[in-house]
Amino acid sequence: EPGPYINAALILIKLGDLDNAQQLIDLVLKLEPDMPMALHVQAKLFQKREQLGAAYETLLKALSLDPDNTVHQNTLLEWGGQYYQQGKIEMAFTIFIALLKHNPNFQEAHYNLGVLYIQTENYGRALPALQSAVGLTPQDVDAQYALAGVYETLGQTDLAAEHYAYVLALQPNRTDAKTRLDFLLSQP
């Protein structure tokens, strides 16, 4: 049974014993080379060893073999966020775009992709990503605020004001949204 080996490998990864975890996963992959959860753990090992390309490719393979598994999707989302925090912007872009190919309704991936586009000042591409995020989860205050900011940057002040107002409806004490809305409403 591969399950106990996979679980043991995950525990060993958490303990930092990557060599023994690798031995266990190698055993499982030798018996079942396309087992999604074994590939998932292999990807985690690659990531721990800073082999980001191999980690991404292996996890993507696990996702392609088991596309509805949210464990694979959420791990990729987490990695995208980590890579962004580490300044590995291209890797973060690659991950969020790949996630959306597998799951076009993954709201967090749309939001994170939109934020990345904002960070790189590509507002034209941020707009549809954030529109999708807000369309999927209208009550996401951060996505609403980011979308309002993009509309404001693109000169679409009526839409910006509408979304800032919606942010305030969801979170009345959000002073940054109130400040932006007051500014927009004070313009001729």
Side-chain angles (χ1 to χ4, degrees), residues 4-188:
Y5 289 102
I6 291 170
N7 291 336
L10 284 169
I11 291 168
L12 289 170
I13 290 170
K14 285 183 182 178
L15 294 173
D17 189 351
L18 302 183
D19 292 335
N20 282 322
Q22 185 67 63
Q23 289 178 4
L24 292 176
I25 289 305
D26 287 346
L27 286 172
V28 174
L29 289 173
K30 188 175 184 179
L31 297 172
E32 293 188 48
D34 288 331
M35 180 178 217
M37 280 312 295
L39 290 167
H40 185 102
V41 175
Q42 179 69 45
K44 285 184 171 249
L45 282 163
F46 283 136
Q47 194 214 24
K48 288 284 186 184
R49 291 188 167 121
E50 298 288 324
Q51 298 171 316
L52 304 184
Y56 166 73
E57 292 297 330
T58 305
L59 192 51
L60 206 57
K61 182 177 179 183
L63 183 58
S64 68
L65 292 168
D66 191 10
D68 296 328
N69 190 324
T70 58
V71 173
H72 306 316
Q73 293 177 22
N74 288 329
T75 299
L76 276 172
L77 182 72
E78 178 186 322
W79 287 3
Q82 288 172 357
Y83 295 147
Y84 168 72
Q85 294 293 326
Q86 296 167 2
K88 298 171 182 162
I89 303 298
E90 288 305 315
M91 193 68 185
F93 270 120
T94 299
I95 286 173
F96 295 137
I97 291 167
L99 271 172
L100 291 170
K101 284 181 184 172
H102 284 279
N103 182 353
N105 294 320
F106 200 157
Q107 190 270 350
E108 295 91 343
H110 282 289
Y111 171 71
N112 286 337
L113 187 59
V115 169
L116 278 177
Y117 283 129
I118 289 171
Q119 295 297 319
T120 57
E121 299 181 7
N122 191 337
Y123 302 106
R125 293 190 112 181
L127 184 61
L130 292 170
Q131 287 171 326
S132 293
V134 165
L136 290 165
T137 310
Q139 68 276 16
D140 183 332
V141 176
D142 294 328
Q144 287 283 352
Y145 184 81
L147 180 58
V150 169
Y151 279 133
E152 184 177 359
T153 301
L154 294 174
Q156 298 178 28
T157 55
D158 289 345
L159 288 170
E162 181 182 317
H163 285 276
Y164 285 133
Y166 193 68
V167 168
L168 289 170
L170 293 170
Q171 209 171 57
N173 296 330
R174 182 97 185 230
T175 58
D176 54 354
K178 178 151 180 38
T179 300
R180 297 307 317 147
L181 181 60
D182 288 346
F183 173 77
L184 290 176
L185 294 177
S186 71
Q187 299 302 303

